[in-house]
Structure formats: structure tokens, C-alpha cells
Amino acid sequence: MLIDRYPVSQESELLSQVDWDFPERVAHSGIEGLHPYPAKFISEIPRALLEMLPLPPNTIVLDPFCGSGTTLVESQRRGMQCIGVDLNPIATLITRVKASPLPEGIEQSLVRVIDQAHRVDSVRIPTIPNLDHWFKKPIQSALAACMAAITTAEAEYQDVLRLALSSIIVRISNQDSDTRYAAVSKNVSQEDVFSGFYDSARKIVSVLSDRDYELTPAEVITSDTLELSADDIRRPVGMVITSPPYPNAYEYWLYHKYRMWWLGYDPLAVKRREIGARAHFFKRNPHTPDHFNGQMTKIFKLLRSVVAPNGYACFIIGRSKIHGRIVDNGAMIESVALAAGFNPVFKVERSISPRRKSFNLSHANIKKETLLVLHRTGHSL
Ligand SMILES: C[S@@+](CC[C@H](N)C(=O)[O-])C[C@H]1O[C@@H](n2cnc3c(N)ncnc32)[C@H](O)[C@@H]1O
């Protein structure tokens, strides 16, 4: 762990007492493990930040790249209101489910949906590229029957049911695993689809019923954050906690491609807007580190107008390798933030656990990441 402290302050004294590698941590379980998501935070990071940094009065927590909603869950645990934004509709589906009350009657709705899915005898299979390569025909029919049955459920149940189906899609496909994108032969039957869907929904219900904290209001926005304005956020933000996407690292759209197709979203539209997606760095379409700099400049323009005086912005980010060159994204964000009126108060380089499973791009080889804590200077907005 390498700590950079800037001028000594109360915050930096406190923050430097934490072992940001969290070596004692055990694997994701419960609400953190509700649905797979690549490169998610370990919950200890937002938890420690929320415990140690004071939230200015009447402000909320914002994660402008919320992924699976770890920041929102930790904010709710501490009784703080929060907003999460993500481009990826699977991310915002996971976050909404984690941060919302369980709708009453969900179990009965699940039984009705499963029953209906079993009874469907002819169902339209959606048009999805390469479908036969990744899904056996009987599995396609069972999945389509589940989707058709879900769409007949009342609106309040849809999110939990859709998340349950999403969580089993890779398991019942020919894809080897969530972290390995290769077709293999698996012994999966239609009944495995129905029972997998049922079990997954039961698990979600059980995990969410175990939440032992009050659910503070949480807003979840599905949008390209680069397109947002201060009017979309509406409330003063006291703390930003986020791990932004960065060039050539993870492919969130690709990881969830078939989940999106099956749930009726367009993964290609997500790919086009996804910051850092590898396709943007191919020779025919060459983004450079300057693109990322421009994108983060835009993000900090937004943060400058929504973060309250004396609020904080905490960024966790790794390095990129672009056309063979290593780019220090942490240093870049620091300079962009400074220009936008945020002062760095603490920086630490932490090791990423080798156990963190992701759809890892072998060339990226990400083993370290930087936590950068910035303070919004005290003049009014
Ligand atoms: C490192 S992940 C966030 C993970 C999150 N901290 C968690 O705990 O799950 C970065 C996120 O940025 C999102 N993203 C990429 N480009 C985006 C854009 N233009 N607008 C909004 N979100 C975007 C990705 O979909 C991904 O979920």
C-alpha cells in the first residue's frame, strides 16, 4: 500500500489509518453477491469512506457509474439518501432491486409466473445474433417462455423477476462461465431453466428480506452520465463515491451482452456509449488517452455543479495500457479534478485481490488501483 497524503489534514490522518487492501476480507456473499457484475467495489471501500468523511448537512451520496450499486447499498446502511447512474440497464436493474423495498406478494407472483411459463406451448424466440451458438434450442424455448410469463406479471414484480432470470442466463447457456467467453457443451435441460429461475428468485427474496436497515430513498438513473446535467441530479451532493470505467480495462456491455438481448435491451447501443470499451481503441476507430481526459473533464464539470461546498469526491481507478503505453488514469483524474475546483486530500494505491473474478482482459492485467479522495473547496455553487 503506497500512501500519498498531501498537506496533513484531519481527513488524511483518519484515512491513512485504514488498510485499504482489506486483507481480512472474505468473498462476496448476501446482497453483494446477488448477481454477477465485473469490477465491482468491495463494499469495505465505500463503507470506510462513508464512515470517515463527514457528509455536509442536507446532502446526498452520488455514484455516477454505479454498476451493481455497492455505493447505494452502503449509503442506505448508513441512513443516507443516494443516487446512482449507469449506462448499462443490467447494472441499474441490479441496483434498483438491491435498493428498493421488496414488493409484497412477490412469492405468489413468482409461483404464478413459473406455472404460466411451464404451460406455454408455443412461444416466439426473439431475434438475437448467434443465438444457436450460445443457447440450445430447448433452452431458447424455456427462456422465451419465462420472459413471456414475466411480462404478464404486475409492474411492481417485474424487476425482481427479470433480475432472477438474468442471473441464470450464463449458467444455462453454452458459455463456459461468467468470466470465460468460450462455448462448451453443458448438460442443461428445460427444467433446469425453470428451477434455476425459481431458485434464483427465492434467493433474491431471502437476501432482500434479511436487510436489517431502513431503506432510505435511492434514485437510480439509466443514462450515459456524459449526457447528464445538474438538473437531472436536482439535490446537492455531499459525497461522490465511484469507480469510473477506464480505457481498455473491462467490457461491461460484453459481459452482459446475452442478458441484455434476452431482457429486451440493446447491447450494441450500450457498447457505443460505454467509456473505455475496447472497440473504441481499434485501429480503424482509434480513441487516445485524450478522449478519456475529455470525458473525465465533462464528468468533473457536472460534479462541480452538483457537489456542495465542503463535499467530497472519491474515485477508484486503475492504470490503462493503450497501444502498449501505460496510462496513469489516477494522475489524469487528479489534474482534471484540480482544474474543476477539487483539492486532493488523500491518495493510496491498493492491491486488487487475485481472487476478484472478472471478465478479465488478459492484456489489461490489472493488479493495482488508486483511491483518490478530493475535497470540494468551500465557496458556494
Ligand atoms: C467499475 S464499474 C462500476 C462498478 C461499481 N462500483 C460496483 O460496485 O458494481 C464502471 C461502470 O461504468 C459504467 N459506464 C461505462 N460508460 C458509461 C457511461 N458513458 N455512462 C454511465 N455509465 C457508464 C459501466 O456500465 C460500469 O457499470
Side-chain angles (χ1 to χ4, degrees), residues 18 50 96 113 142 157 195 211 234-235 298 363:
V18 177
L50 290 166
R96 270 199 313 278
V113 164
Y157 304 128
S195 62
R211 288 174 295 184
R234 294 195 312 271
R235 278 159 294 162
K298 223 170 162 185
H363 69 278

Side-chain angles (χ1 to χ4, degrees), residues 45 53 64 77 92 94 128 143 152 154 157 246 303-304 307 310-311 343 352 374 377 381:
I45 295 176
L53 298 172
R77 273 196 219 280
T92 50
I94 305 171
I128 297 178
L143 266 174
T152 65
E154 287 91 333
Y157 304 128
Y246 51 94
L303 296 188
R304 188 183 161 72
V307 176
N310 288 318
N343 287 328
I352 300 172
L374 304 147
T377 42
L381 300 173

Side-chain angles (χ1 to χ4, degrees), residues 353-367:
S353 162
R355 289 194 306 273
R356 176 158 101 182
K357 287 215 182 102
S358 250
F359 198 38
N360 46 352
L361 301 169
S362 49
H363 69 278
N365 199 12
I366 302 159
K367 292 189 179 130

Side-chain angles (χ1 to χ4, degrees), residues 170-182:
V170 170
R171 197 171 355 123
I172 49 140
S173 74
N174 300 333
Q175 186 178 326
D176 189 18
S177 71
D178 260 308
T179 51
R180 188 157 180 269
Y181 204 49

Side-chain angles (χ1 to χ4, degrees), residues 88 250-258 260 267-268 270-272 274 277-279:
N88 192 310
Y250 298 96
E251 303 271 298
Y252 304 94
W253 74 274
L254 184 61
Y255 188 96
H256 290 314
K257 184 161 87 166
Y258 280 93
M260 284 194 254
L268 301 180
V270 175
K271 175 184 174 184
R272 276 193 291 278
E274 186 171 293
R278 264 176 86 210

